[in-house]
Amino acid sequence: MKDCGQRYLVQRELTIDKLDFLHQKLQIQFELSNVYLNSVYLLLFFNSQKMIQLHDKSFAPFISAKEIDLAITKIVQQIKTDLGDEIPVFLGVLNGSFMFVSDFMKQFSGQCELSFVKLASYDGITSTEEVQHLIGLHHDLTNRTVIVLEDIVDTGTTLLSLKKSIEKESVKSFKVASLFFKPEAYKKEITIDYVGIRIPDKFIVGYGLDYNGLGRNLPAVYQLKE
Ligand code: 5GP
Ligand code: MG
């Protein structure tokens, strides 16, 4: 009888220990799942904070201001090396390139001239074959080294149209620098001599680029969310 009683007590202690252990395990699991859920909520919260809405479309963060700055530094250094003592004419393509041109010029330390043309080919979020020359060339480019500064090259239609009008000017050389480039969408033969960042064939806004007039003032780049 005594044996039975002792065995009962030992078994009871073992069961209590087991229960304690299970209880602790459950508590740890509960705390871990709480930490997990909280981080998911935080992630969702921060992501929803960074999304932007322009007209009827949402855009997600894509390229940071820091990455853009580094890409411009890379282009500036490559151009500077290639130019040597040559004094170039930089040709900005409005409207989209205004921010790129401004930051580019601040980083470019050598002597240079600057001019702008204004072209338009985009309708909403699609590229059209028709390029409108809204402001033409008003700079004597005879025998000059011309470097086009584009915000983005997509199909290349705008660039081809610009190249055709510059070819009439008897320039010494013609080069192209584009901050963003969509290789999958590019259909033309013109060499893009300096590329900042290659991106997929998806519509972006910010850093000069707009969606139906909005978004140009954003310091970073956002991608269309579909
Ligand atoms: P492309 O003629 O090469 O198709 O397009 C060139 C012009 O279309 C660019 O200079 C830019 O103004 C506009 N564009 C091309 N891709 C995009 C884009 O993803 N977003 C925005 N906002 N504009 C673009
Ligand atoms: Mg442009």
Side-chain angles (χ1 to χ4, degrees), residues 20 24 95 165:
D20 261 357
Q24 275 175 8
N95 286 338
S165 64

Side-chain angles (χ1 to χ4, degrees), residues 53-210:
Q53 181 78 24
L54 300 174
H55 299 294
D56 58 330
K57 303 212 182 294
S58 305
F59 296 84
F62 184 48
I63 302 168
S64 69
K66 182 80 204 148
E67 286 171 282
I68 295 171
D69 194 51
L70 289 173
I72 296 174
T73 307
K74 181 183 77 179
I75 297 178
V76 167
Q77 282 169 353
Q78 287 171 344
I79 292 181
K80 197 85 189 55
T81 309
D82 291 353
L83 276 172
D85 294 335
E86 194 76 30
I87 298 177
V89 180
F90 291 122
L91 191 63
V93 186
L94 295 172
N95 286 338
S97 73
F98 77 93
M99 242 188 226
F100 170 43
V101 173
S102 165
D103 286 342
F104 177 94
M105 292 299 276
K106 280 183 261 176
Q107 289 199 34
F108 189 86
S109 54
Q111 290 191 21
C112 59
E113 290 174 33
L114 173 67
S115 195
F116 284 101
V117 288
K118 182 170 175 172
L119 306 181
S121 69
Y122 242 66
D123 181 18
I125 60 165
T126 37
S127 178
T128 69
E129 282 298 306
E130 189 195 329
V131 181
Q132 295 166 278
H133 287 238
L134 303 172
I135 300 176
L137 270 170
H138 297 288
H139 201 113
D140 184 9
L141 299 179
T142 316
N143 212 25
R144 300 299 306 270
T145 294
V146 178
I147 302 182
V148 169
L149 297 180
E150 260 285 26
D151 48 354
I152 184 166
V153 175
D154 182 357
T155 61
T157 309
T158 309
L159 193 57
L160 182 65
S161 175
L162 181 60
K163 191 177 182 205
K164 278 181 183 161
S165 64
I166 290 174
E167 266 166 0
K168 295 174 198 151
E169 305 292 315
S170 324
V171 297
K172 183 172 171 187
S173 77
F174 169 88
K175 284 193 171 173
V176 182
S178 187
L179 179 57
F180 303 115
F181 177 48
K182 294 181 186 168
E184 296 154 21
Y186 193 56
K187 296 191 190 105
K188 310 291 182 206
E189 301 292 316
I190 307 163
T191 308
I192 319 289
D193 305 271
Y194 309 98
V195 174
I197 303 174
R198 285 175 172 76
I199 59 167
D201 186 11
K202 266 194 167 183
F203 190 75
I204 56 169
V205 291
Y207 200 77
L209 292 157
D210 73 313

